[in-house]
Amino acid sequence: MEIDIRTQLLSLAEPEYQKFSAALIPNITNVLGVRLPVLRKIAKQLAAGDWRTYLETADDEYFEEVMLQAMVIGHVQADLDELLKAIEAFVPKIDNWSVCDSFCAGLKYTKVHSEPMWAFLQPYLRSDQEYEIRFGVVMLLNFYLDERYIDQVLSALDQIRHEAYYVKMAVAWAISMAYVKQPEVTMCYLKHNTLDDFTYNKALQKITESYRVDPETKQMIRSMKRKVKKQATS
């Protein structure tokens, strides 16, 4: 690379923003403090150049270095097979919700490759790894909540069994978004599901927090909350 990426990132880091950003991602300690719009600008430049060499040689020590790779993969122009290989190589690097969710949102070419991408996502939804599952779930909520896929999405979400917090929260988020976009189908699902109590109640909570749900419906959703028995202490 003409300009060393890490040197560039270090020069763009802001100490105050580092404190703010790091506080939002409690499970990591390698945030430099570079703002996301700045990273996006760099990513577009890298994607327009020799992005293959960049991805093959990119460092992973800092949060921003990994986020930058995520953004580049979303901007590159390539055939689907090459894109899928890049995604597959990147997913194991995801270790926090921020990189995961930004990465998924950037994979907009999923819209024009919905069928092969759907097949590609299935192993991640069945994974036993926290962020592999979250990757799959967040991809579903970004690109598959239409009439064509909603039944399959809800079925896939209902089959996820993992105790990790960021998996449960992703499933709850996906169900809440499904309700906003496909309320009738999702309401039927909410009345007949096998979700654990935490995920189910979180999904209801997120629905009631949406500005796209009217007050009367929110009241009805609140009434569906499961009462969770507190465990007796010895």
Side-chain angles (χ1 to χ4, degrees):
M1 311 300 293
E2 291 185 9
I3 301 176
D4 179 73
I5 296 298
R6 180 172 296 173
T7 300
Q8 188 176 6
L9 293 175
L10 288 168
S11 71
L12 293 167
E14 301 177 34
E16 288 303 313
Y17 184 72
Q18 189 278 337
K19 295 177 184 177
F20 168 77
S21 184
L24 297 176
I25 317 169
N27 61 318
I28 65 171
T29 58
N30 60 344
V31 177
L32 289 174
V34 182
R35 295 178 184 271
L36 293 183
V38 176
L39 290 176
R40 291 191 189 99
K41 184 177 180 180
I42 299 171
K44 289 179 181 179
Q45 294 170 346
L46 290 169
D50 185 7
W51 58 268
R52 294 175 179 86
T53 298
Y54 162 70
L55 290 177
E56 289 172 359
T57 60
D59 291 318
D60 303 331
E61 182 176 348
Y62 292 106
F63 165 83
E64 284 84 354
E65 290 176 327
V66 179
M67 180 67 87
L68 193 57
Q69 294 170 55
M71 292 177 173
V72 168
I73 294 170
H75 283 296
V76 299
Q77 300 290 324
D79 62 47
L80 182 60
D81 286 343
E82 189 169 16
L83 293 172
L84 292 180
K85 288 178 181 177
I87 295 169
E88 186 176 18
F90 178 78
V91 170
K93 299 183 181 185
I94 300 173
D95 65 355
N96 63 83
W97 68 264
S98 182
V99 166
C100 179
D101 298 1
S102 293
F103 181 51
C104 293
L107 300 179
K108 298 187 186 303
Y109 38 73
T110 300
K111 297 176 183 177
V112 296
H113 299 293
S114 58
E115 288 190 20
M117 284 295 287
W118 174 266
F120 175 78
L121 293 172
Q122 298 314 300
Y124 294 103
L125 295 168
R126 296 190 294 268
S127 173
D128 61 358
Q129 299 299 307
E130 179 177 9
Y131 287 102
E132 288 189 0
I133 303 173
R134 186 177 175 100
F135 163 71
V137 172
V138 177
M139 286 295 289
L140 297 191
L141 74 87
N142 271 293
F143 302 110
Y144 290 96
L145 297 182
D146 55 16
E147 291 183 3
R148 180 182 177 188
Y149 283 99
I150 187 63
D151 289 330
Q152 296 176 76
V153 167
L154 293 173
S155 176
L157 295 175
D158 200 62
Q159 295 175 52
I160 292 173
R161 299 288 184 271
H162 201 285
E163 290 303 309
Y165 175 79
Y166 287 105
V167 170
K168 291 177 181 286
M169 291 300 288
V171 172
W173 178 23
I175 292 169
S176 71
M177 292 300 297
Y179 182 84
V180 168
K181 294 187 176 183
Q182 306 289 343
E184 293 184 7
V185 176
T186 308
M187 175 56 76
C188 183
Y189 167 73
L190 287 170
K191 293 179 178 178
H192 305 281
N193 65 81
T194 62
L195 295 170
D196 63 87
D197 292 340
F198 176 87
T199 305
Y200 172 82
N201 285 340
K202 275 294 178 183
L204 298 186
Q205 178 186 328
K206 287 182 174 293
I207 293 170
T208 64
E209 291 171 351
S210 173
Y211 67 88
R212 288 179 282 184
V213 178
D214 64 76
E216 184 177 347
T217 301
K218 288 182 180 181
Q219 189 61 35
M220 182 266 292
I221 292 291
R222 290 189 185 98
S223 73
M224 296 170 60
K225 184 177 180 180
R226 294 176 188 165
K227 293 182 179 180
V228 181
K229 294 181 180 179
K230 294 183 179 180
Q231 294 183 345
T233 56
S234 56

